[in-house]
Structures are given as structure tokens and as C-alpha cells.
């Protein structure tokens, strides 16, 4: 059994961060060790929430306790999401290095949670620059959305060529694989949404229908990163992992729309994201 150390946010109500990542990992047969960077009542998309961001010292203490149980050498990957602040980000990057030192085969999958199209940045000042200069070079897999990709690569994205230039720029800085979890471009149909994976062996694009979800549920990027990582760790090549992740998140979206909620319906859709009823083929770009 593969094991992932997932360091992300936590909410009591709803599905973002670890709440959107841990269950999909477990349902797909991956053991998840969850370290929570925050504990909020709900995700910030509601506009009001309670709770707190944990200190860097708190997270380091929890990681030390996990390490004392001999867990780090058994971790196959570290998955990080919302970091909270720069100090906490430093602890996460250092933890990824500790895991890779304990298990040289382990990988670091960084979901560079910073912002989104239409919302802009929603993290504390200094964190975007930290992610760009420290987390990106440390990552093996990077899973930005389109807004984050544009910022990290310093490259606006209007076309598919723009997206490929941006992912190539990021791969040149360290990560061997970049997964763009949501791509909307001018040279594609308006009723479709895409995901793109670019690694050293090639690049692939998958397209799915754009479902009407109002308001758009938070946490989809967190879930996609976990779904892709799970299949990647299970031995799927990047194109196959992309197809599996796209089919799974589409099934989750369909269930969420049917149930008329703004929260991802991971529990209701669990059988469908393990065995998606609809598949989408990835197209090789290079």
C-alpha cells in the first residue's frame, strides 16, 4: 500500500484541503497521513468563517511526532496545499526534503494554492513569492490552476501554445511534471474545460463538458491533485492518470450538480469516482 503525507488546510464543514484530498486518496487505496495547516469552520469562499491558521511551530511539532513513529521512510509522497503563511511554507518544504531523505523514491507533489480566476490572490502577503521561489523548485509534481500557472510562470495564457510555454518554463525550474487542473483558453470551445499534463516524456490534454454549477464548488483543485497523485502512485503513466482524474472529478461534479449543493459531494460520488461511468481520452500534444 502506498502512503501519502498530506499537509493541507482542514474545515469542519465542507470539502476543501485535506477534507477534499484525504478521502479520495483512501477510497483509491492510498494510506493518508493528514497534517492540517489550519482549522476553519468552513472554507473562506463563504465570506465568513471562524478558526485559525496554525503556527509553523505547531506544524513542525506534529511532523516531528509523526517522524518519531517511523512514518517518514514509509511515505511515497508528500502532498501540500494551502500553506497559511511563509513560515509554515518553509516547514512544509523542509518536511518534503526530510521525507525524500528518508525515502529517496518519494516525491513531493505541490498544489500551489494561492488564488483563482475571478478571485485573484486569497493568501497572505509574501506567500505567492515564497511558493514561486522555494516550493516550485523543490517539487517533483506541481498542480496549479490557470491563475496560479500564469503567476508562477510569468506568462499570460490565452492559447494552448501559451499554456505549454508556461508549463515548460516551470519544468525548467525543477518539477518534472506539471498538471494544470483547470484550463480555459481562447482557442477552445466555450462549453468545454480542460486539464493539461506536461512532463519530460510528453504533454497531454483532456477535455470535458463544462457543467453549470452555481456557485462553483470550492475544493475541486484539491480533489484533482489528490486523484491524479493517487493514480500516478499506483503506476499509471501521466496520460492515464490524467484520464482517470478527469473522469473522477467529472463524476463528482455531476453528483454535486444533481444534489444542488455548493459543496463537493465526495461521499455520494465515491463509487463513481473509483469507477467513473464516463471516460475522457487524453490527446497527445508532443
Amino acid at each position: 500500500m502506498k502512503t501519502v503525507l498530506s499537509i493541507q488546510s482542514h474545515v469542519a464543514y465542507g470539502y476543501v484541503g485535506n477534507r477534499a484530498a484525504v478521502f479520495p486518496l483512501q477510497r483509491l487505496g492510498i494510506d493518508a497521513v493528514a497534517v492540517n495547516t489550519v482549522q476553519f469552520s468552513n472554507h473562506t469562499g463563504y465570506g465568513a468563517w471562524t478558526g485559525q491558521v496554525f503556527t509553523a511551530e505547531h506544524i513542525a511539532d506534529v511532523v516531528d511526532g509523526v517522524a518519531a513513529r517511523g512514518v517518514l521512510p514509509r511515505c511515497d509522497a508528500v502532498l501540500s496545499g494551502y500553506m497559511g503563511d511563509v513560515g509554515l511554507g518553509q516547514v512544509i518544504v523542509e518536511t518534503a526534503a526530510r521525507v525524500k531523505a528518508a525515502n529517496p523514491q518519494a516525491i513531493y507533489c505541490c498544489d500551489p494554492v494561492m488564488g483563482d480566476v475571478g478571485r485573484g490572490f486569497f493568501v497572505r502577503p509574501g506567500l505567492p513569492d515564497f511558493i514561486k521561489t522555494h516550493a516550485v523548485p523543490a517539487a517533483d509534481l506541481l498542480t496549479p490552476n490557470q491563475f496560479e500557472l500564469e503567476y508562477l510562470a510569468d506568462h499570460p495564457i490565452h492559447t494552448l501554445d501559451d499554456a505549454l510555454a508556461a508549463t515548460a518554463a516551470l519544468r525548467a525550474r525543477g518539477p518534472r511534471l506539471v498538471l494544470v487542473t483547470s484550463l480555459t483558453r481562447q482557442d477552445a470551445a466555450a462549453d468545454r474545460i480542460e486539464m493539461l499534463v506536461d512532463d519530460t516524456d510528453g504533454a497531454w490534454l483532456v477535455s470535458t463538458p463544462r457543467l453549470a454549477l452555481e456557485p462553483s464548488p470550492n475544493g475541486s483543485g484539491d480533489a484533482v491533485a489528490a486523484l491524479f497523485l493517487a493514480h500516478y502512485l499506483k503506476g499509471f503513466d501521466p496520460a492515464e492518470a490524467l484520464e482517470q482524474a478527469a473522469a473522477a472529478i467529472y463524476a463528482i461534479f455531476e453528483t454535486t450538480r444533481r444534489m444542488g449543493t455548493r459543496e463537493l459531494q465526495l461521499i455520494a460520488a465515491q463509487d463513481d469516482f473509483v469507477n467513473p461511468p464516463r471516460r475522457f481520452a487524453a490527446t497527445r500534444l508532443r
Side-chain angles (χ1 to χ4, degrees):
M1 182 182 294
K2 301 293 186 179
T3 298
V4 171
L5 175 60
S6 183
I7 311 176
Q8 305 199 49
S9 61
H10 172 80
V11 292
Y13 170 75
Y15 294 94
V16 300
N18 266 336
R19 287 269 286 165
V22 170
F23 179 69
L25 287 169
Q26 293 172 329
R27 190 65 178 81
L28 288 167
I30 306 292
D31 191 16
V33 179
V35 176
N36 299 322
T37 57
V38 312
Q39 178 163 270
F40 289 164
S41 56
N42 51 269
H43 66 68
T44 60
Y46 285 98
W49 68 94
T50 58
Q52 61 183 285
V53 175
F54 294 135
T55 65
E57 292 76 16
H58 174 84
I59 300 304
D61 188 45
V62 172
V63 170
D64 284 344
V66 170
R69 304 283 73 77
V71 174
L72 301 192
R74 295 190 281 110
C75 288
D76 299 282
V78 174
L79 172 62
S80 71
Y82 179 71
M83 292 183 175
D85 61 26
V86 170
L88 206 156
Q90 291 172 334
V91 171
I92 292 171
V93 171
E94 290 167 2
T95 298
R98 287 178 67 181
V99 169
K100 293 173 72 172
N103 177 9
Q105 303 305 312
I107 59 175
Y108 173 32
C109 179
C110 176
D111 183 4
V113 177
M114 295 181 290
D116 206 349
V117 174
R119 293 182 66 189
F121 289 108
F122 50 68
V123 296
R124 293 181 176 183
L127 193 54
D129 183 65
F130 172 83
I131 291 173
K132 178 184 285 190
T133 58
H134 295 282
V136 168
D140 299 291
L141 276 61
L142 193 70
T143 63
N145 61 30
Q146 184 164 336
F147 174 87
E148 293 155 350
L149 175 64
E150 289 183 329
Y151 169 75
L152 293 173
D154 294 313
H155 198 300
I157 296 171
H158 304 292
T159 67
L160 183 57
D161 285 343
D162 290 337
L164 289 169
T167 56
L170 290 184
R171 286 197 299 107
R173 292 171 50 205
R176 66 173 182 250
L177 183 151
V178 177
L179 166 67
V180 185
T181 59
S182 59
L183 178 63
T184 301
R185 53 191 174 89
Q186 294 175 355
D187 53 345
D191 62 348
R192 311 287 291 187
I193 190 165
E194 298 168 325
M195 291 196 292
L196 168 69
V197 67
D198 182 6
D199 85 339
T200 54
D201 295 324
W204 296 266
L205 184 76
V206 67
S207 172
T208 65
R210 184 184 296 273
L211 296 175
L213 291 165
E214 292 295 337
S216 179
N218 293 65
S220 57
D222 305 326
V224 168
L227 291 162
F228 180 88
L229 178 61
H231 290 293
Y232 189 79
L233 289 175
K234 291 168 70 174
F236 287 84
D237 66 35
E240 293 169 331
L242 177 65
E243 291 176 346
Q244 292 287 338
I249 196 64
Y250 186 81
I252 293 168
F253 280 162
E254 281 200 311
T255 301
T256 302
R257 182 179 64 168
R258 185 173 67 250
M259 297 184 70
T261 174
R262 68 178 293 175
E263 294 292 345
L264 292 175
Q265 293 301 299
L266 298 178
I267 308 303
Q270 61 180 293
D271 292 335
D272 285 343
F273 76 68
V274 173
N275 294 295
R278 187 169 179 183
R279 306 281 179 164
F280 304 93
T283 300
R284 185 163 193 145
L285 304 175
R286 65 169 178 82

